[in-house]
Amino acid sequence: MTITQLEYVLSLNTFRNFAKAAKNCYVTQPTLSMQVKKLEDELGIILFDRSKKPVLPTDIGQKIIEQAKIALGEVEKIKELIRAQKDELSGTLRIGIIPTLSQYLLPLFLTKFMDKHPSVQLVMEESLSEEIAFKLNNDLLDVGIIVTPMSNNNLIETPLFYESFVGYINDRHPLAQKTKIEVNDLKLEDMWLLKEGHCFRNQMINICGEHSRNDRLQFESGSLNTLMTMVEQQSGYTLLPELATINLPDNQNKKIRYFKNPAPRREVSIVAHRSYIKQKLIGLLKNEILENLPPHLKNQKGEQVIEWVN
């Protein structure tokens, strides 16, 4: 039994497909298949039921997989201990971040982090919250930067900051005449929304409550920038996270309307699996983010935080 074989088994359990598992491990499918079969022969058991599509672990296979996770985690701890003893800041940090944060948050800290820690390789991935949670649970990511709470007992959530919502309003809409808006002013029928799967969409709906939509034109996008364009060229309004308003040109900044206090906010957290190994690197990442936030975001509290729902 080898560490490599256990890594192949965990990859196959995650992807439930030999080709995808092999690609994840950077080997050919025959190589991965041969090594999994070799381990099964050595143990005298069948780890995966290959008659199923997708392949599924057998009962005993699932128990072996859980133990393999523990074993590989302990191996990684040994590597971390050695790096700590040598006072080395090196290795790879795999980070998942949601789309409504990545475009606005990453430019604030990413270059500075890389300049300070040249021996650390960052692998960044933009994904939806549920995908990030799945990958954290299956050791495909080391850390996530997402909106919380998620109510996932396997994950540790450490709040970074609280970000207010703002309205982005077409000049012809009645709300454009107000200097500040209130939650009760909002109607879902006038709002441009992100498409299904984005937690920010759920937050927008939570703020508005249940209202009917306008059936004449319905458009949903995966991009906040696209929603802003629809507001500018069509009608109505959308909601933006506060970070999205940084460095807007004057013609767009004029369309921003802030909420009266207490403004609805969302909680942005750094999230890792409870058995996470790369504590020092994750701690450095957290500190770098906090150091480079706009000053007013550092001081905002979590009053009237909008929780997202599945």
Side-chain angles (χ1 to χ4, degrees), residues 15-19 29 49-57:
F15 293 97
R16 305 295 170 90
N17 177 280
F18 279 91
Q29 181 177 338
D49 184 349
R50 293 156 175 79
S51 67
K52 306 288 187 181
K53 300 295 181 183
V55 296
L56 295 174

Side-chain angles (χ1 to χ4, degrees), residues 216-231:
R216 288 193 60 207
L217 175 60
Q218 293 189 22
F219 174 84
E220 296 177 354
S221 173
S223 164
L224 289 174
N225 287 337
T226 302
L227 296 186
M228 293 168 68
T229 300
M230 295 301 289
V231 168

Side-chain angles (χ1 to χ4, degrees), residues 119-299:
S119 297
V120 177
Q121 179 188 18
L122 296 183
V123 178
M124 307 295 303
E125 176 180 316
E126 185 181 86
S127 297
L128 300 181
S129 298
E130 288 298 325
E131 181 70 12
I132 291 173
F134 172 81
K135 291 190 173 184
L136 288 172
N137 279 323
N138 288 279
D139 194 33
L140 298 173
L141 288 173
D142 298 310
V143 65
I145 306 173
I146 61 177
V147 171
T148 52
M150 290 196 69
S151 300
N152 189 318
N153 294 331
N154 292 325
L155 304 179
I156 298 175
E157 303 170 1
T158 304
L160 291 170
F161 60 92
Y162 295 91
E163 180 180 27
S164 294
F165 294 85
V166 302
Y168 190 76
I169 302 170
N170 182 282
D171 297 334
R172 298 183 299 275
H173 194 277
L175 287 183
Q177 306 307 313
K178 293 194 171 191
T179 55
K180 287 199 172 183
I181 59 177
E182 300 182 60
V183 169
N184 291 337
D185 293 330
L186 303 180
K187 295 181 179 179
L188 197 58
E189 61 194 42
D190 292 340
M191 185 179 294
W192 298 100
L193 294 173
L194 290 172
K195 63 185 180 181
E196 292 279 359
H198 289 263
C199 60
F200 193 73
R201 169 196 170 92
N202 298 327
Q203 296 154 8
M204 295 163 79
I205 293 174
N206 286 351
I207 291 173
C208 292
E210 294 298 329
H211 296 277
S212 61
R213 299 297 308 277
N214 185 341
D215 290 334
R216 288 193 60 207
L217 175 60
Q218 293 189 22
F219 174 84
E220 296 177 354
S221 173
S223 164
L224 289 174
N225 287 337
T226 302
L227 296 186
M228 293 168 68
T229 300
M230 295 301 289
V231 168
E232 295 162 3
Q233 298 184 0
Q234 295 293 326
S235 61
Y237 51 83
T238 192
L239 295 184
L240 301 175
E242 194 171 359
L243 278 177
T245 67
I246 296 176
N247 298 325
L248 283 179
D250 288 342
N251 64 316
Q252 290 184 310
N253 203 42
K254 291 176 181 177
K255 301 182 191 303
I256 296 294
R257 295 295 182 275
Y258 292 92
F259 282 89
K260 292 182 180 179
N261 286 327
R265 296 179 173 93
R266 66 177 184 170
E267 179 183 82
V268 177
S269 297
I270 196 163
V271 180
H273 194 272
R274 288 193 174 278
S275 62
Y276 72 108
I277 307 300
K278 301 177 182 179
Q279 299 183 28
K280 193 165 187 177
L281 288 181
I282 293 174
L284 290 171
L285 176 70
K286 173 189 172 183
N287 292 338
E288 195 65 40
I289 293 172
L290 292 176
E291 286 178 12
N292 290 284
L293 285 176
H296 66 282
L297 277 185
K298 296 179 183 180
N299 299 324

